[in-house]
Amino acid sequence: MLEVIIISSIKVLTVVIVVLTCCAYSTLLERKLVAYMQHRLGPIYAGPWGLLQPIADAIKLMFKEDLVPDRVERTLYTLAPILSFVPSLLVFAVVPFSSDFTLFGYDVTGVISDLNIGVLWVFMITGFGVYGVVLAGWSSGSKWSLLGGIRSSAQMISYELSYGLSIVGVILLANTLSMTEIVGQQDSIFSWYIFRQPLGFILFFTCAVAETNRAPFDMAEAESELVGGYHTEYSSMRFASFFVGEYANMLAASAVAATLFLGGWQGPLLPPIVWMMLKVFFGMFIFIWLRGTLPRFRYDQLMNFGWKVLFPLALLNTMVTGLIVMLTNGTN
Amino acid sequence: MKGLLASVWNVIRMPLGFLVTLKHMFKKPVTLDYPRKREPMAPRFKGLHYLERYDDGTERCVCCGLCAAACPADAIYMEPAENEKGERYSEVYEINLLRCIFCGFCEEACPEEAIFLGQEYEFAGDTRESFILTKDKMLVQHPRKDSPFKKILRRVRKAYGIAESQ
């Protein structure tokens, strides 16, 4: 029993540290890639190729004054960054990052917790993310923050439906809710669910972008109109929590997309963990690519797109997949 | 129906937009790693002034005052003096960079080819005094390498058939 606890603790610690480091370096990756897309160089001064930039940013944010405006609701104001930061990390609890392996004579599973309702856990936890944003917007006592929070809640509620529906196809085909088993089923490249559920993948990723409040769905932040939206009034590490939360959310969405659609850690030649990282990196690249390409949606366009395009398509996808599974008697 | 078709068409064309950003990602950035790398300046760029010497090291400037007269911003101040050979030279020659508009009229007015506007453009300062360009800052080093500027000058002289004045 003690052995299990120790192994799990080490695994949790490793995953948290790796995810947080990846978050920090995602900011650099994003700045670099977007810069190159715009014919700029991006960060270059901190270290070679700007590699120390995330560390410099972290130090700067830690030493900045933690400013709390007068008219905030203290409790919620303090709670909001935590609420947006913690759920994004919790998603990684069920994401299988490697096959089972043996380390120093101990058998280690490649996932922190192989929950039999892993997929549901992911969607429950990502649903929590909206509270951080909404409460931050509400408790800041500023009109920009409030507008950002309201936009975000409307957006997240609208896209949550399609988000959830987009993976129903995969679940129907996989006949399980456990992430580990879903990965186990995608053992050859042709059995990756992206090939059997291409529409599902596109819907999932689109909704994931909306759920993580990223461009082109970054209505809640909207620097140009809302001066930063829900995190306008935050500074120092509280602001950093939102920032890290956003990037951890992106990483989580990429990891879930990789697990459900791209075969998780499955892949030839390279070790499983490398495959997983490559796939997550691919997801992050698409996130950044989207930001570098598309302009922000207008509010009505956003709602129209969510309810009139994504939702019917997700329903259609579910229906067709259900029909096929029924006709083939669930034995495909 | 028409709107729907338009939307579908837009969605079909969307990958083209993504290809544009992807393509541009591999192009050479237009900005550069500034203090470490610099864009070469145009040969006729009008930067910070400098005073030329003859090849033997004596100053070209004879303090005739034509540059000060030509100066539209009234930025040049000079005081003449004579050396031991009885030649006129400028004892004080100051350009107020806060007044100077870098038009290059002084350079054009100069009959002795003494004053030039060089390539230097980084001369920010903290005090007003630091913007008074004095003679000791302006005069070129005596034994010096042939500057790229001088090469260009020689080429220009050659092109216009002007003899090297001594």
Side-chain angles (χ1 to χ4, degrees):
Chain A
M1 191 59 209
L2 187 70
E3 194 180 288
V4 173
I5 291 172
I6 291 172
I7 290 176
S8 298
S9 312
I10 293 172
K11 250 190 319 196
V12 169
L13 206 66
T14 318
V15 168
V16 166
I17 289 170
V18 168
V19 168
L20 287 183
T21 315
C22 286
C23 283
Y25 275 90
S26 307
T27 62
L28 178 69
L29 184 75
E30 167 159 41
R31 288 176 68 181
K32 274 290 189 189
L33 286 181
V34 172
Y36 279 117
M37 283 173 190
Q38 298 166 350
H39 297 189
R40 293 184 289 113
L41 284 168
I44 41 173
Y45 296 112
W49 210 66
L51 279 177
L52 298 177
Q53 188 68 40
I55 296 162
D57 282 341
I59 293 170
K60 181 200 77 175
L61 281 166
M62 266 186 250
F63 284 98
K64 272 183 114 169
E65 187 188 352
D66 182 18
L67 206 80
V68 182
D70 275 345
R71 293 189 185 79
V72 299
E73 299 239 3
R74 279 265 178 178
T75 325
L76 295 180
Y77 183 81
T78 317
L79 199 64
I82 303 166
L83 271 181
S84 83
F85 173 56
V86 173
S88 51
L89 285 180
L90 285 180
V91 172
F92 288 96
V94 294
V95 173
F97 48 85
S98 168
S99 54
D100 299 350
F101 54 94
T102 315
L103 198 67
F104 304 125
Y106 292 102
D107 289 327
V108 185
T109 50
V111 56
I112 292 175
S113 162
D114 180 18
L115 227 52
N116 58 355
I117 49 157
V119 180
L120 287 186
W121 166 266
V122 167
F123 284 86
M124 184 191 91
I125 289 299
T126 30
F128 259 111
V130 68
Y131 285 105
V133 177
V134 173
L135 289 181
W138 168 252
S139 65
S140 286
S142 140
K143 54 189 164 191
W144 308 118
S145 306
L146 186 62
L147 281 170
I150 288 170
R151 280 182 180 188
S152 163
S153 55
Q155 173 185 326
M156 283 188 153
I157 288 164
S158 306
Y159 282 75
E160 195 86 46
L161 284 167
S162 322
Y163 198 36
L165 276 174
S166 65
I167 50 130
V168 172
V170 172
I171 297 169
L172 281 173
L173 289 172
N175 205 17
T176 174
L177 282 171
S178 153
M179 301 279 262
T180 316
E181 278 179 46
I182 289 177
V183 174
Q185 287 170 2
Q186 310 176 66
D187 46 3
S188 79
I189 192 162
F190 299 107
S191 61
W192 287 7
Y193 281 115
I194 187 175
F195 298 116
R196 283 194 269 173
Q197 289 280 317
L199 183 62
F201 178 71
I202 293 170
L203 289 172
F204 176 85
F205 211 88
T206 315
C207 294
V209 175
E211 283 288 305
T212 47
N213 278 323
R214 291 279 306 172
F217 300 100
D218 58 343
M219 294 286 299
E221 288 181 42
E223 280 99 344
S224 45
E225 24 182 317
L226 289 187
V227 232
Y230 59 90
H231 55 57
T232 308
E233 306 296 337
Y234 283 89
S235 57
S236 186
M237 276 318 275
R238 293 179 209 252
F239 171 75
S241 307
F242 279 119
F243 216 69
V244 175
E246 183 184 325
Y247 282 87
N249 264 326
M250 285 161 69
L251 280 171
S254 303
V256 173
T259 310
L260 293 182
F261 291 97
L262 300 173
W265 45 262
Q266 304 264 20
L269 298 173
L270 297 169
I273 184 80
V274 176
W275 271 110
M276 187 65 192
M277 281 186 163
L278 279 178
K279 284 164 185 172
V280 172
F281 174 79
F282 172 72
M284 292 301 284
F285 178 75
I286 291 185
F287 265 109
I288 295 162
W289 194 8
L290 273 167
R291 189 195 153 187
T293 308
L294 295 178
R296 188 179 301 131
F297 275 98
R298 214 169 53 213
Y299 189 67
D300 60 318
Q301 290 173 331
L302 184 93
M303 285 297 150
N304 274 341
F305 186 62
W307 288 104
K308 294 186 185 167
V309 180
L310 286 183
F311 187 53
L313 279 178
L315 277 179
L316 186 77
N317 188 43
T318 313
M319 221 164 72
V320 171
T321 317
L323 207 65
I324 290 169
V325 169
M326 195 183 77
L327 291 178
T328 55
N329 212 8
T331 53
N332 60 323
Chain B
M1 192 61 202
K2 205 179 163 191
L4 184 72
L5 279 176
S7 330
V8 171
W9 178 233
N10 280 336
V11 169
I12 291 167
R13 284 189 312 170
M14 218 164 74
L16 292 178
F18 282 92
L19 282 180
V20 169
T21 38
L22 193 68
K23 199 174 71 192
H24 281 262
M25 210 174 93
F26 297 105
K27 286 191 176 171
K28 191 174 167 282
V30 289
T31 55
L32 49 94
D33 189 353
Y34 167 60
R36 280 172 246 161
K37 288 180 193 154
R38 279 147 215 259
E39 202 70 42
M41 298 312 294
R44 295 173 71 170
F45 178 77
K46 294 177 190 154
L48 201 65
H49 316 68
Y50 66 92
L51 287 172
E52 263 300 351
R53 290 178 196 266
Y54 286 112
D55 289 343
D56 63 357
T58 51
E59 294 162 24
R60 276 175 175 272
C61 180
V62 294
C63 203
C64 65
L66 279 178
C67 50
C71 184
D74 205 7
I76 304 178
Y77 171 77
M78 55 179 68
E79 279 173 18
E82 275 184 15
N83 66 6
E84 60 278 7
K85 284 190 265 176
E87 289 167 349
R88 216 173 119 98
Y89 74 102
S90 56
E91 193 173 27
V92 178
Y93 192 104
E94 286 177 358
I95 295 178
N96 186 341
L97 293 176
L98 295 173
R99 289 194 70 97
C100 179
I101 58 170
F102 296 91
C103 61
F105 281 8
C106 46
E107 184 179 9
E108 283 179 38
C110 186
E112 298 289 326
E113 289 188 5
I115 187 161
F116 291 101
L117 268 65
Q119 305 273 308
E120 183 63 37
Y121 53 89
E122 293 158 324
F123 44 91
D126 294 326
T127 56
R128 283 174 171 271
E129 288 71 37
S130 68
F131 283 100
I132 308 289
L133 195 57
T134 50
K135 221 177 124 187
D136 51 320
K137 287 186 216 157
M138 259 192 292
L139 264 174
V140 293
Q141 300 287 318
H142 168 43
R144 63 159 192 168
K145 287 175 286 184
D146 212 2
S147 71
F149 180 79
K150 214 167 174 186
K151 280 179 199 157
I152 291 153
L153 191 72
R154 204 163 287 144
R155 206 160 63 220
V156 172
R157 278 190 183 131
K158 205 175 158 191
Y160 289 99
I162 307 166
E164 189 102 11
S165 55
Q166 276 298 344

